[in-house]
Amino acid sequence: MSKSLKVLFAVTALAAFGVVSGVNAADTKKVAATSKKDASSTTEQVTKVSTHQLGRLATEDEIAAWDIDIRPDGVGLPKGKGTAAQGEQIYGDHCAVCHGDFGEATGRWPPLAGGAGTLTAERPLKTIGSYWPYLSTVYDYVRRAMPFGNARSLSNDDVYALTAFLLQLNDVIQDENFELSDKNFTSIHLPNEKNFIDDDRLSEPNYVKNEEPCMSNCKPDKAKISAHAAVLDVTPENSDDKEDGANKGGVE
């Protein structure tokens, strides 16, 4: 997300909480129109947003405290480091009560490890090791939202150590002395990364030809059912269902 958009969202969010109560729709559009310009230009435009002497603009420190997102290419990573062994201790103190000693999960809390090779199964287990595409998402989420109920209590080094331990739980690394840092972070790739592809929607005919989508009488002849979502089968079957499946309950 560009800094200009973050500034816009910060103003909008503060307005929602009554901090900048004078921002109206026209003002918001004015700020949005600047999103394609550079950050300095956007800051200048935001300053010009008219108010009714109520509230204030977000300060640079407030925006910086909120601006902690981390991108797959490493942009946003804080300086720091931590080993898997250090992360194991932190995990035991703060995470295992919900996610299990080995990331297998307890109760209804989500598992963090396992599930390799299950993505094509009827009930795949989507974990950091089996499904997630980028390690930056792991770091960002732990840093932003964990431990549950005490978010933002871990240091940047703690989060690096925890992330390294999660890599070990998912067999991405084997050495407990492996040290993850802002220097080597982007060299680590999760197993399912290559199965995520860019959204090439703009190559679809409707976008390429800039045509209006057909909304009526689009297909010649009568439409036919080519497949059934029988695998869902969420509706209980009736006792008088016929053996050939006719009148059988389920979503089709």
Side-chain angles (χ1 to χ4, degrees):
M1 181 185 294
S2 67
K3 184 172 183 179
S4 56
L5 281 176
K6 291 172 181 175
V7 172
L8 169 61
F9 289 159
V11 172
T12 304
L14 288 173
F17 286 99
V19 176
V20 186
S21 60
V23 176
N24 56 32
D27 297 328
T28 303
K29 289 181 179 178
K30 183 186 294 182
V31 178
T34 67
S35 62
K36 295 182 179 180
K37 300 180 180 179
D38 59 40
S40 60
S41 176
T42 301
T43 302
E44 180 181 352
Q45 290 294 325
V46 171
T47 304
K48 293 180 180 178
V49 170
S50 63
T51 66
H52 300 288
Q53 306 303 315
L54 295 173
R56 59 173 174 78
L57 297 177
T59 66
E60 292 293 333
D61 287 341
E62 287 171 336
I63 294 174
W66 171 74
D67 182 15
I68 61 171
D69 63 299
I70 298 170
R71 301 192 326 200
D73 59 4
V75 172
L77 276 172
K79 294 185 180 301
K81 59 185 179 181
T83 67
Q86 293 169 332
E88 182 177 11
Q89 181 63 48
I90 299 170
Y91 182 89
D93 292 341
H94 300 281
C95 314
V97 64
C98 296
H99 295 291
D101 291 337
F102 303 99
E104 75 278 14
T106 61
R108 300 185 66 181
W109 300 103
L112 302 178
T118 67
L119 293 185
T120 58
E122 184 174 354
R123 293 183 180 276
L125 179 58
K126 297 180 179 180
T127 70
I128 295 168
S130 69
Y131 179 70
W132 291 33
Y134 303 116
L135 188 60
S136 58
T137 309
V138 180
Y139 190 99
D140 185 285
Y141 186 78
V142 172
R143 183 190 189 201
R144 183 184 304 273
M146 293 289 113
F148 181 72
N150 198 20
R152 305 297 300 275
S153 63
L154 300 176
S155 69
N156 291 333
D157 286 348
D158 288 343
V159 181
Y160 274 109
L162 259 179
T163 304
F165 180 63
L166 292 176
L167 288 174
Q168 186 182 16
L169 279 182
N170 284 280
D171 296 324
V172 178
I173 64 169
Q174 308 296 328
D175 183 4
E176 67 176 8
N177 294 316
F178 171 78
E179 183 179 82
L180 184 67
S181 71
D182 57 299
K183 306 298 182 186
N184 64 0
F185 193 92
T186 56
S187 67
I188 304 297
H189 299 278
L190 298 185
N192 196 43
E193 178 179 337
K194 293 183 178 179
N195 291 322
F196 281 77
I197 59 175
D198 291 335
D199 184 348
D200 62 347
R201 193 171 308 171
L202 294 179
S203 66
E204 294 180 356
N206 285 340
Y207 289 93
V208 172
K209 298 179 181 179
N210 196 27
E211 295 177 342
E212 289 292 328
C214 178
M215 300 300 291
S216 63
N217 300 321
C218 305
K219 182 179 177 60
D221 303 325
K222 185 177 180 180
K224 298 179 180 178
I225 297 174
S226 59
H228 298 265
V231 67
L232 295 177
D233 197 21
V234 295
T235 305
E237 298 178 4
N238 297 323
S239 58
D240 58 350
D241 284 340
K242 298 179 180 179
E243 293 183 356
D244 61 1
N247 298 328
K248 185 178 181 180
V251 178
E252 295 187 348

